[in-house]
Amino acid sequence: MATYATNGYQDYNGGGFTHTNNYNAGSAGDFQDSSSQNKAQQRNTLTPVTIKQINESTQLVPDGEFIINNVELAFVSFIGVIRNVVDNTSSLTLTVEDGTGSIDVRKWLDDSANESPASQLPVGIYVYVTGALKEFNGKKNLQHATVRPIIDHNEVLYHHLSAIVTHLHAQGLSTNNNGQNSNPLFVPNTDGNESKSNVERIYEFIHDQTPSMPEGVPIQLIAQTLNLMVEDVQLHCAKLTEDGKVYHGYDDNGFLAV
Amino acid sequence: MDSSLSNIRVDHTLLKQFEGKVVRVIGKLGSIQNDRASLLTKASDGSSGQINLLISSSLVPKLQTPNNYYEVIGKITNDELAIRVLDGIDFGDSINEKAAIALVKYSNKCSELFY
């Protein structure tokens, strides 16, 4: 009798423990994870800019994001000509100018690397620079700066053009064809909603249902809810699987969103 | 060469508008004769033009290859609307002309990003 009671108790305990675990992983955990990931991704976007934008950007709150004309600058990329190089043995201070302004970039030297960056980054060449924008003593600087010489100078043109596009998008303007003729603000958005493809609808449905169905969202349910043929859903899901957006649940009939 | 000066991207149609200013032009290098050369540019209105370049002897080695594209930084002279070259960078022979034309056009429309 005593043995039975102990066993029963242990079983109960074990069961209870796994249950809580499942609950956390299945619903709240997954959901929060994906949303915080999305935010982090947005914050970490590499924004193409001109040096003038960097120099004129301001922080709304101390240590916060830099803002210039609605564009958030966290990680930035720009292109410019090296105008001055100062060798501090462990790092190079490069003065880079792109016709809109100039900025000093500190490039740390890697001892283990065989190349000598000083000779690869002479004065007068175009370079592509990326880094995290920071301010120190009232002066803008880049953390973790990478500097790479430009071989194909089309990059100079394309970079400036993409900086313009990024800027215009942030102002709520779309750059279609000859662009400047007042394009209504929200046209692209509504277009996108109406013409949502079946694949996108299926993915959204799976994504929404994933937290509550840890065994996989059944194909039949997807087909019923979205009013689609089961075969079509299978086809689309196979495609989504290939793209790495969904994966099989416990068996081939159910899918989970990544 | 003052690198802190901001300069404006132009083509042959904008020389008059930015007279006396320091500008950046992308074009094909034409004939070179001693301290003079010509730069062939195209504009968004479809026209082609030629800009006269005045090159000081120290910069002559920088502008060597006719028919290559160059980005020239220089000051537009007041009288003949030529460009006194401050620097020239060889852009190679395969530059997307449409992109170059678009950049001049849009950089002047979005001047808040450029000057």
Side-chain angles (χ1 to χ4, degrees):
Chain A
M1 193 61 189
T3 331
Y4 175 72
T6 329
N7 271 350
Y9 182 64
Q10 277 171 345
D11 276 348
Y12 176 74
N13 227 356
F17 183 65
T18 18
H19 257 292
T20 351
N21 240 4
N22 270 347
Y23 175 76
N24 271 341
S27 53
D30 270 2
F31 184 68
Q32 278 177 349
D33 257 3
S34 62
S35 70
S36 65
Q37 225 170 31
N38 281 347
K39 265 187 205 158
Q41 256 168 12
Q42 268 185 344
R43 224 179 14 243
N44 292 340
T45 314
L46 187 63
T47 314
V49 293
T50 63
I51 295 174
K52 178 167 188 275
Q53 284 177 288
I54 294 178
N55 289 334
E56 288 180 354
S57 64
T58 51
Q59 281 168 307
L60 293 182
V61 288
D63 286 331
E65 303 274 293
F66 287 89
I67 308 274
I68 176 81
N69 297 323
N70 288 337
V71 183
E72 265 186 25
L73 309 178
F75 290 87
V76 294
S77 67
F78 60 86
I79 265 176
V81 184
I82 299 179
R83 291 303 182 197
N84 193 28
V85 181
V86 179
D87 195 338
N88 319 308
T89 50
S90 65
S91 70
L92 296 177
T93 304
L94 310 167
T95 307
V96 179
E97 171 267 344
D98 71 348
T100 72
S102 72
I103 189 171
D104 284 349
V105 177
R106 175 167 283 201
K107 159 96 176 138
W108 293 96
L109 300 181
D110 186 357
D111 288 336
S112 57
N114 296 327
E115 14 107 66
S116 59
S119 64
Q120 283 183 2
L121 300 170
V123 169
I125 65 158
Y126 260 104
V127 286
Y128 176 76
V129 184
T130 65
L133 187 58
K134 295 281 181 292
E135 195 170 60
F136 187 69
N137 280 345
K139 218 178 160 190
K140 301 264 171 33
N141 64 56
L142 287 181
Q143 268 182 0
H144 318 299
T146 64
V147 183
R148 146 175 88 69
I150 281 182
I151 313 290
D152 182 350
H153 287 85
N154 276 309
E155 225 179 299
V156 178
L157 307 176
Y158 296 151
H159 176 85
H160 284 304
L161 289 171
S162 49
I164 295 173
V165 170
T166 307
H167 170 73
L168 289 180
H169 275 307
Q171 319 309 314
L173 292 170
S174 101
T175 46
N176 263 342
N177 304 327
N178 299 324
Q180 306 305 314
N181 305 338
S182 60
N183 277 317
L185 282 186
F186 297 110
V187 168
N189 247 340
T190 47
D191 267 352
N193 278 339
E194 278 162 11
S195 61
K196 214 174 253 175
S197 70
N198 286 338
V199 187
E200 284 171 305
R201 285 168 60 209
I202 291 172
Y203 175 69
E204 260 175 32
F205 183 71
I206 297 177
H207 185 264
D208 291 345
Q209 299 302 317
T210 295
S212 58
M213 298 183 182
E215 315 80 39
V217 185
I219 289 179
Q220 279 79 11
L221 179 68
I222 302 172
Q224 256 174 31
T225 316
L226 301 177
N227 227 349
L228 296 168
M229 303 278 286
V230 173
E231 291 77 22
D232 286 348
V233 176
Q234 269 166 342
L235 210 74
H236 288 314
C237 284
K239 214 176 191 178
L240 284 169
T241 312
E242 271 175 33
D243 294 347
K245 288 180 174 161
V246 303
Y247 58 93
H248 286 295
Y250 278 1
D251 56 39
D252 287 355
N253 288 322
F255 289 91
L256 291 168
V258 175
Chain B
M1 178 171 46
D2 188 350
S3 58
S4 67
L5 263 181
S6 72
N7 40 53
I8 303 157
R9 292 186 177 273
V10 299
D11 53 39
H12 59 273
T13 61
L14 296 167
L15 291 181
K16 185 78 194 156
Q17 192 182 329
F18 295 110
E19 199 175 332
K21 294 251 171 64
V22 175
V23 295
R24 259 172 147 94
V25 205
I26 294 173
K28 240 181 190 178
L29 192 62
S31 60
I32 314 167
Q33 266 184 342
N34 301 324
D35 61 342
R36 284 187 161 255
S38 61
L39 194 70
L40 310 171
T41 60
K42 289 185 178 168
S44 54
D45 60 8
S47 66
S48 304
Q50 183 176 333
I51 300 174
N52 291 319
L53 303 178
L54 309 172
I55 312 167
S56 63
S57 54
S58 62
L59 286 168
V60 168
K62 287 203 154 187
L63 299 157
Q64 282 289 348
T65 322
N67 285 325
N68 263 14
Y69 290 92
Y70 279 85
E71 183 181 68
V72 170
I73 303 171
K75 191 175 181 181
I76 303 178
T77 59
N78 285 319
D79 39 351
E80 57 168 331
L81 297 181
I83 290 182
R84 180 162 296 286
V85 178
L86 300 168
D87 194 13
I89 297 175
D90 192 338
F91 267 28
D93 56 3
S94 57
I95 284 296
N96 182 342
E97 282 191 337
K98 271 165 98 179
I101 292 166
L103 183 55
V104 171
K105 181 176 164 191
Y106 290 114
S107 64
N108 283 292
K109 286 195 168 160
C110 287
S111 60
E112 65 266 35
L113 299 193
F114 292 91
Y115 55 91

